[in-house]
Amino acid sequence: MATAIPKITLNSSRDIPFNRLVLSQSNVRRVKAGLSIEELARDIERRGLLQSLNVRPVLDDTGAETGTYEVPAGGRRFRALELLVKQKKLAKTAPVPCVVREAGSAILAEDDSLAENVQRVALHPLDQFRAFRDMLEKGMSEEEIAAAFFVALSVVKQRLRLMTVSDKLLDIYEQDGMKLEQLMAFSISDDHTRQEQVWDIVSQSHNREPYVIRRILTEKTVRASDARARFVGLEAYIVAGGHVMRDLFEADDGGWLQNPAILDRLVIEKLHAAAEDIRAEGWKWVETALSFPWGHTRQFAEIDGTEMPLTDEEAARLEALRAEQEAIEGEYAQADEYPDEVDARLGEIEQAILALEERPLAFDPDDMARAGAFVSLASDGTLQVARGFVLPEDMPAEPEEIDEYGHHPHHRYDEDTAGDGDEDGVGDTTVPDVEFEEEDGIKPLPDRLLTELTAWRTLALRDAFASNLHIALTEFLHTLVRDVYWQTPGTDCLEAYVREISLPVHSPDMPGSVPAHALRQRNEGWKHDLPEDEDALWRWIDGLDDPSRMALLAHCLSFGVNALYERMPAYGAVSQRSVTERLKRADRLASALSLDMVEAGWQPTVENYLGRVTKARILQAVREARGDEAAERIAHLKKPDMAREAERLLDGSGWLPEALRTTGGAEQVPVETATVDEGMEAIAAE
C-alpha cells in the first residue's frame, strides 16, 4: 500500500491594527542606504499594500501572547506604513494584512527574514518592457509610467525603445541567446529585416560586441554632427522626408541620418541658393563645392575690398558687449576659475564681439565684374564664402615694370593659403582610392602617404613656428649664419629670403584643420593691415613696434618651413640624403616648439592612414594605443573592417604614426620602434 504524502499547512492570515505591530530585532535588513522608504510610502498611498507582512506574536515572561506582533519579514513595508501614519495619511489603528506564524515555531525569525529577501527574483528586463508597453497601449503616458514606478523618464523611454526591435530578436534574447547590451544596440534601427540580417552576421562571428552591431547598422548613415547635417539642420532634413536613428542607451551625439541622398540634395540646394545670392552681388562667377582643396586660390589674383564701417547700432552693441566682458572679468579677477554659467556667457560675448569686429568688405563694382567668389561648407557646418578672386586672363593688362636695378617689382604676399600649387600653379590634391591590401608585415609606409603625413606636420609646424617669436628668430638667424659662413653670398645687400614651399599632396582633412584655420586667420589679419601702396611698405614696417615686427617676421618665415618627405629621383638636383637632413632639422624645430600633432587636430582615420597601411601596422597602432586585448579583438577581421574598427578604437587615444611624433613631445606614445629620424633614414635608404 502506497504511503500517503503528508500535506503542509499554510500559516493563517488576518488583519492586525498597525499600532499592535513592532519591527522585529530579528530582521536581517540592517543597512538603511537605498531603501527608498518615501517612494514605497507614496506607492502604497497610490495603490494600497500589495504584499502582506510576516509577523509573530510577542510573548511575555510567562510565555503568554501579549497581543502585540513583531515583524521579522516586511520591515521596509512596515517603515513605509509608519511614515504614512506620521504624515497622518494612515490611521494608527488601520488594519494591516499579516501572515501570522505560530509562537514557538521551529523556523527562526531570521530564517524568514532572510528567505523573503534572498528568494525573490528580479523582473526580467523583457517583462518590464512588455509591462510598460501594455500600460502605454492602455492609455498611460510615458511620464505617468515613470511616476508610478519612481524611475527616470529615460528608463521608461529606453525600455519602450525595445519596441523597435524585431520579435525574432526579442525571442532570442528571452531564450538567453543574446545579452541585453546586444539587444539594446539593435534598437537604434527600426528596420526589422536589417536587424535580423545583422544578427545573422554577428552571430557567426567571434566578435558580437554591441559596438559592432551599432557600427554595421549605421555604416551607411551620416552622423548628426557631420558638417553637412549641421549646415542643413535636422528639422529641414526631417521635413524633406529624412529619418534619424537615435540611441537611447549610449551617447549618440545627435544620432544618425539614414538618408544620405536626401541630405546631399539639401546641401547642394542650399549651397546653390547661397551662390545665387552671392552672384546677385555683382560677381562675374561663383563656384560652389562642399570643400575646396588646400591652395586652390594660388592661381588667382585678388581684388582689394574696403571694410564696411559699423552702424551706430552695431557700435553701441559692441561697446555694451565689451563693457559687460570687462565687468565680468573684473568681478572674477581673484577667482581660480569661472562658474560654468559665467564661462558660457563669456564665450557668447567673445563670439558676438568677433562677429561685429570681422567686418564684411565692400568691393568696387568694376572689379567685381571681372572677379568671382568661392562658396563652400566650413568644417563647423557654416557657409564659407571667399570673395574677390580674379583669373589671370581676366586681369587688366599692365606694362611690365623694371626698377633701376633691372629687377621686377616684388609683389607683397597676397594668398591665403601660402602657396600649395605645383610649377604651373595648380596643386595635385587628388587622393587615391583607399587600397585595402591584404598582405601583412611592418613594411615602409607608401611614399605618397608619408608625403601626406608630413604635409600635415609641415602645416602644423608652420602654425606653431609663426606663434613663437623666439624660435622663429632663432631659426632665421641660424639660416642666415649658415648662409654667411658655409655658402657663397650673392650680390644683393642681403641674400636672406623666404621661398614659399607648396603642399600639393595632402589628405582631404588638412584644409579644414586647426592649423590651416589659424594660418588663414593670421594671414588675413596681416593682409588687412598692410598698406595698399607698396612704396609705403618699408616705412610701414619701420614704424611697427618691436612685438609687431617680430610677429610679422615669424609669420613670413613660417611659409618657408619645409618638413616634407619626398622621394627624390636618382641623380636629381636634390639628393635623398638632403631630404633626410631636412627632416632631421624639422624634427629639431618641432621639438623646440613642442609640436603636438594631436592638439593640432590630426587623428588616424581610414582615409588618411589606416586604409593605406598593412594589417600589421593597423594592429601595431591599436596595440600601442589600447593594448594587446584591443588588438586581439580585431585581429580576425578583414582589412576594411579592421581599418574601420581601428579608427573607432584610436579615436581620442592620442596615437600618432612615427612620421608625426615629436621627439620629447608630450603627445608621443611609448613604442618599441625606431625614432622618427631612424625611420626616415631607413625609408630613404631603400
Side-chain angles (χ1 to χ4, degrees):
M1 182 176 176
T3 304
I5 299 175
K7 303 297 188 293
I8 64 172
T9 302
L10 299 177
N11 295 321
S12 61
S13 62
R14 67 174 185 267
D15 291 343
I16 299 174
F18 178 77
N19 60 356
R20 305 301 299 273
L21 300 175
V22 294
L23 189 62
S24 173
Q25 295 302 309
S26 299
N27 193 299
V28 298
R29 190 185 289 277
R30 304 291 174 83
V31 178
K32 304 299 188 295
L35 290 184
S36 305
I37 302 299
E38 294 79 4
E39 290 183 1
L40 180 56
R42 291 200 299 272
D43 190 70
I44 293 173
E45 181 183 359
R46 175 176 176 266
R47 72 178 86 247
L49 196 63
L50 295 179
Q51 187 176 356
S52 302
L53 304 183
N54 182 286
V55 302
R56 295 176 179 232
V58 178
L59 306 179
D60 61 15
D61 295 339
T62 64
E65 294 186 8
T66 61
T68 301
Y69 296 83
E70 63 177 354
V71 184
R76 180 165 169 260
R77 275 162 282 151
F78 174 82
R79 289 191 180 92
L81 293 170
E82 186 178 45
L83 178 60
L84 290 171
V85 170
K86 289 180 180 178
Q87 294 174 345
K88 301 188 183 303
K89 295 178 179 179
L90 182 70
K92 293 181 180 180
T93 58
V96 179
C98 298
V99 175
V100 184
R101 186 178 288 281
E102 69 279 4
S105 171
I107 304 297
L108 298 175
E110 290 84 357
D111 193 343
D112 282 345
S113 179
L114 183 63
E116 184 188 53
N117 289 283
V118 171
Q119 292 185 8
R120 67 177 61 184
V121 177
L123 191 66
H124 193 282
L126 195 55
D127 290 331
Q128 187 185 39
F129 148 64
R130 286 168 175 161
F132 285 170
R133 180 187 60 189
D134 291 344
M135 287 186 284
L136 186 70
E137 291 175 350
K138 291 180 179 179
M140 290 184 68
S141 67
E142 293 177 348
E143 291 76 10
E144 289 172 336
I145 295 173
F149 292 93
F150 304 102
V151 296
L153 179 60
S154 60
V155 173
V156 177
K157 288 182 177 293
Q158 287 176 349
R159 289 291 182 260
L160 291 175
R161 182 65 182 173
L162 297 179
M163 293 173 65
T164 63
V165 179
S166 160
D167 288 337
K168 176 182 176 181
L169 298 186
L170 291 176
D171 291 340
I172 293 173
Y173 169 60
E174 184 175 0
Q175 298 166 15
D176 293 331
M178 72 171 69
K179 299 178 181 178
L180 178 60
E181 292 77 11
Q182 294 169 320
L183 184 71
M184 293 189 300
F186 281 105
S187 70
I188 63 174
S189 170
D190 56 6
D191 185 341
H192 291 181
T193 301
R194 180 58 177 159
Q195 290 173 355
E196 293 169 8
Q197 290 173 346
V198 172
W199 176 248
D200 289 340
I201 294 171
V202 299
S203 62
Q204 305 300 321
S205 169
H206 296 290
N207 191 354
R208 305 181 187 182
E209 295 294 327
Y211 74 81
V212 175
I213 296 170
R214 289 187 176 92
R215 177 182 60 76
I216 297 176
L217 286 171
T218 60
E219 62 186 356
K220 295 182 179 180
T221 62
V222 176
R223 294 301 299 258
S225 57
D226 186 272
R228 291 170 294 167
R230 296 166 69 180
F231 177 62
V232 170
L234 287 182
E235 184 176 348
Y237 165 79
I238 293 171
V239 169
H243 298 280
V244 180
M245 297 167 53
R246 297 303 305 267
D247 189 346
L248 296 181
F249 300 95
E250 298 283 344
D252 63 6
D253 199 18
W256 296 266
L257 280 64
Q258 290 182 264
N259 309 99
I262 293 178
L263 176 64
D264 289 340
R265 174 174 59 81
L266 293 175
V267 170
I268 293 172
E269 289 175 356
K270 190 170 181 179
L271 278 177
H272 285 171
E276 289 304 313
D277 291 341
I278 293 166
R279 191 189 307 275
E281 296 174 2
W283 300 104
K284 179 179 180 181
W285 53 265
V286 176
E287 188 172 341
T288 61
L290 287 179
S291 65
F292 292 100
W294 179 257
H296 68 286
T297 58
R298 180 173 173 76
Q299 61 179 312
F300 295 85
E302 281 190 71
I303 61 174
D304 294 323
T306 304
E307 269 194 6
M308 297 181 66
L310 289 168
T311 64
D312 293 341
E313 183 180 348
E314 288 174 331
R317 172 66 175 156
L318 182 59
E319 184 178 353
L321 287 169
R322 286 173 174 165
E324 183 181 357
Q325 183 182 46
E326 292 176 2
I328 293 175
E329 291 174 347
E331 181 180 353
Y332 292 93
Q334 304 303 319
D336 293 333
E337 59 182 21
Y338 295 116
D340 290 343
E341 62 277 6
V342 174
D343 190 50
R345 177 54 186 160
L346 280 175
E348 293 172 358
I349 293 173
E350 289 174 2
Q351 291 298 320
I353 290 176
L354 184 63
L356 288 170
E357 289 181 338
E358 292 184 349
R359 306 304 301 156
L361 297 178
F363 296 90
D364 183 274
D366 292 337
D367 288 337
M368 294 172 67
R370 55 186 172 85
F374 294 98
V375 179
S376 60
L377 195 58
S379 57
D380 62 354
T382 59
L383 188 69
Q384 184 167 280
V385 182
R387 296 175 172 86
F389 294 93
V390 184
L391 285 165
E393 57 266 29
D394 291 333
M395 287 294 294
E398 296 181 1
E400 187 175 16
E401 298 180 10
I402 298 178
D403 62 21
E404 59 182 305
Y405 301 104
H407 297 153
H408 294 287
H410 294 290
H411 298 286
R412 62 181 174 87
Y413 181 75
D414 199 40
E415 169 58 50
D416 66 340
T417 56
D420 290 309
D422 51 22
E423 292 181 356
D424 63 1
V426 181
D428 175 17
T429 58
T430 303
V431 177
D433 292 336
V434 175
E435 297 180 0
F436 291 105
E437 305 167 351
E438 289 300 327
E439 67 271 21
D440 292 339
I442 303 298
K443 300 179 180 180
L445 295 177
D447 289 345
R448 183 181 179 99
L449 174 58
L450 194 54
T451 301
E452 288 184 10
L453 292 175
T454 52
W456 235 108
R457 191 184 194 219
T458 299
L459 194 70
L461 196 55
R462 287 179 180 179
D463 182 36
F465 183 92
S467 302
N468 192 311
L469 307 183
H470 178 79
I471 297 298
L473 184 57
T474 301
E475 185 69 18
F476 183 44
L477 290 175
H478 174 268
T479 301
L480 292 181
V481 170
R482 284 181 55 82
D483 286 342
V484 170
Y485 289 99
W486 282 281
Q487 296 186 18
T488 303
T491 56
D492 288 335
C493 65
L494 178 63
E495 273 292 308
Y497 69 95
V498 177
R499 180 172 62 90
E500 300 171 13
I501 306 301
S502 65
L503 304 176
V505 178
H506 60 73
S507 56
D509 60 336
M510 196 181 80
S513 64
V514 173
H517 177 73
L519 285 167
R520 278 193 292 263
Q521 291 291 102
R522 188 181 295 112
N523 192 59
E524 287 299 321
W526 282 115
K527 282 171 59 179
H528 174 269
D529 292 341
L530 290 177
E532 295 183 5
D533 183 2
E534 291 188 16
D535 293 336
L537 179 60
W538 196 95
R539 294 191 301 274
W540 178 80
I541 295 175
D542 186 52
L544 292 176
D545 56 36
D546 286 344
S548 298
R549 290 158 61 89
M550 289 297 190
L552 179 58
L553 173 63
H555 172 66
C556 293
L557 289 176
S558 71
F559 295 121
V561 172
N562 188 353
L564 281 174
Y565 167 82
E566 298 173 273
R567 170 65 72 180
M568 293 299 168
Y571 312 110
V574 179
S575 68
Q576 202 66 42
R577 182 178 296 276
S578 298
V579 174
T580 301
E581 188 66 25
R582 172 207 300 166
L583 295 172
K584 285 184 178 181
R585 294 177 187 172
D587 194 52
R588 178 193 60 209
L589 185 59
S591 296
L593 289 165
S594 298
L595 180 67
D596 186 341
M597 290 298 296
V598 175
E599 190 174 301
W602 191 92
Q603 60 181 6
T605 65
V606 173
E607 193 171 40
N608 70 11
Y609 183 80
L610 298 167
R612 316 272 293 282
V613 297
T614 62
K615 293 173 68 174
R617 278 196 179 271
I618 297 175
L619 292 175
Q620 180 190 45
V622 173
R623 189 174 294 110
E624 291 173 357
R626 299 301 189 190
D628 293 338
E629 182 180 352
E632 290 171 3
R633 287 207 309 268
I634 66 172
H636 68 284
L637 298 176
K638 292 183 179 180
K639 176 69 174 295
D641 291 336
M642 180 185 289
R644 284 189 287 268
E645 283 307 309
E647 177 179 330
R648 186 191 65 80
L649 288 169
L650 294 175
D651 185 25
S653 69
W655 182 86
L656 295 171
E658 294 91 335
L660 298 186
R661 296 175 187 168
T662 298
T663 304
E667 84 286 5
Q668 188 168 357
V669 178
V671 292
E672 298 179 0
T673 55
T675 64
V676 175
D677 291 343
E678 292 169 350
M680 294 301 184
E681 287 177 348
I683 293 169
E686 292 190 0

